[in-house]
Amino acid sequence: MEPTGAAAVIIGNEVLTAKVVDANGPHLIQRLREVGIPLRSLEIVPDEVDIIVEAVSRARLRAKYVFTSGGIGPTHDDVTVRAVALAMGRRVVRLPEMVALIREKAVDAPTAESLRLADAPEGAVLIAQPGSWYPVLTVEDVFMLPGVPQLFRTQLEAVLGRLRGTPVYLRVLYLSLGESTVAAALDRVALDMPHVAIGSYPTFDRSLDYVVKVTVESAEQAVVEEAVSRLRAGLPQGSVVRSE
């Protein structure tokens, strides 16, 4: 079976050492959900070629689309391009069209370091990014995005505009009873409707008006509504505080 959905690899020693709080992973999770592309996995790895190769290889087995964040700049620790090329069994080449963009953008003659931005896995293509000279680098549904959050977000939008997802319909029930009391009702509906994703999330914040949050989601709205109706019928009377 062909892999579906997306997987992500967040790359950077600064994230693993808490020098930087990762903003790209949470943003990617949210945007993929909004466009209807399920996220299969997300890994955070250091700037080490072998570890990145392993992570990208795993991601490609799990998902159709792979997003990397970080490690594509001109400095010594920017090793993502080399690692992706190794993971895909390709050479690293210099893209003439990227060299031309760098020369056009540079005030003076570009440095050897700045020209590293033109290195890419063999067979890579550039996706133009509206409003920016710097394109998205991609090869066989692996999208190598920058680690700087502002750049990551703009490049991500350029990519998502080319992908197709399936919107997910979501309903939420807020319950006044604990999980042990409502588990049987949830189990019955989950077993009868395995194609519907039902989640149960308890809270211990007594300032809230509920004890358990139940989510019901599917690509089919009618199925979601049927599951919600079954849950309401099976839950103890008066246990649903509110719904969304």
Side-chain angles (χ1 to χ4, degrees):
M1 180 181 295
E2 286 289 322
T4 60
V9 181
I10 309 297
I11 299 159
N13 293 337
E14 68 276 12
V15 176
L16 291 172
T17 57
K19 293 174 187 171
V20 170
V21 176
D22 175 49
N24 295 339
H27 180 72
L28 178 64
I29 292 170
Q30 182 65 37
R31 288 297 291 125
L32 287 175
R33 180 170 180 81
E34 289 170 352
V35 300
I37 299 174
L39 182 63
R40 304 300 183 193
S41 69
L42 186 150
E43 285 193 61
I44 302 176
V45 299
D47 302 305
E48 297 179 25
V49 172
D50 290 348
I51 296 178
I52 300 171
V53 169
E54 293 171 358
V56 170
S57 297
R58 282 192 295 269
R60 294 186 71 222
L61 290 173
R62 292 172 179 150
K64 176 175 175 56
Y65 307 117
V66 175
F67 295 87
T68 69
S69 164
I72 60 169
T75 59
H76 69 284
D77 57 350
D78 291 317
V79 296
T80 298
V81 165
R82 180 152 55 99
V84 169
L86 286 169
M88 303 179 75
R90 297 172 180 241
R91 297 184 302 131
V92 173
V93 299
R94 185 151 289 184
L95 301 179
E97 59 267 47
M98 192 65 188
V99 171
L101 287 171
I102 294 169
R103 292 189 185 281
E104 181 182 332
K105 182 68 177 177
V107 176
D108 301 313
T111 64
E113 289 76 20
S114 66
L115 287 173
R116 291 177 188 166
L117 292 171
D119 289 347
E122 189 172 27
V125 297
L126 302 174
I127 299 174
Q129 184 185 176
S132 173
W133 73 273
Y134 192 80
V136 181
L137 180 62
T138 179
V139 57
E140 279 192 19
D141 290 328
V142 177
F143 304 97
M144 289 161 273
L145 307 185
V148 177
Q150 182 178 0
L151 299 178
F152 178 91
R153 292 183 180 211
T154 56
Q155 289 212 352
L156 176 63
E157 292 310 308
V159 174
L160 293 180
R162 301 166 63 94
L163 307 185
R164 297 179 62 183
T166 303
V168 174
Y169 295 95
L170 172 70
R171 289 289 307 277
V172 182
L173 299 177
Y174 296 91
L175 310 182
S176 60
L177 301 177
E179 282 190 310
S180 59
T181 306
V182 302
L186 300 185
D187 288 348
R188 280 195 297 272
V189 178
L191 288 172
D192 289 343
M193 306 182 71
H195 49 298
V196 178
I198 298 175
S200 176
Y201 310 100
T203 179
F204 300 97
D205 183 350
R206 297 311 174 202
S207 67
L208 298 175
D209 64 347
Y210 67 92
V211 176
V212 173
K213 174 182 175 180
V214 173
T215 61
V216 183
E217 54 191 320
S218 171
E220 300 180 47
Q221 186 173 11
V223 171
V224 170
E225 296 301 335
E226 180 185 350
V228 168
S229 296
R230 292 192 185 195
L231 285 171
R232 284 183 173 277
L235 289 166
Q237 188 173 5
S239 62
V240 179
V241 175
R242 55 191 170 88
S243 63
E244 294 176 352

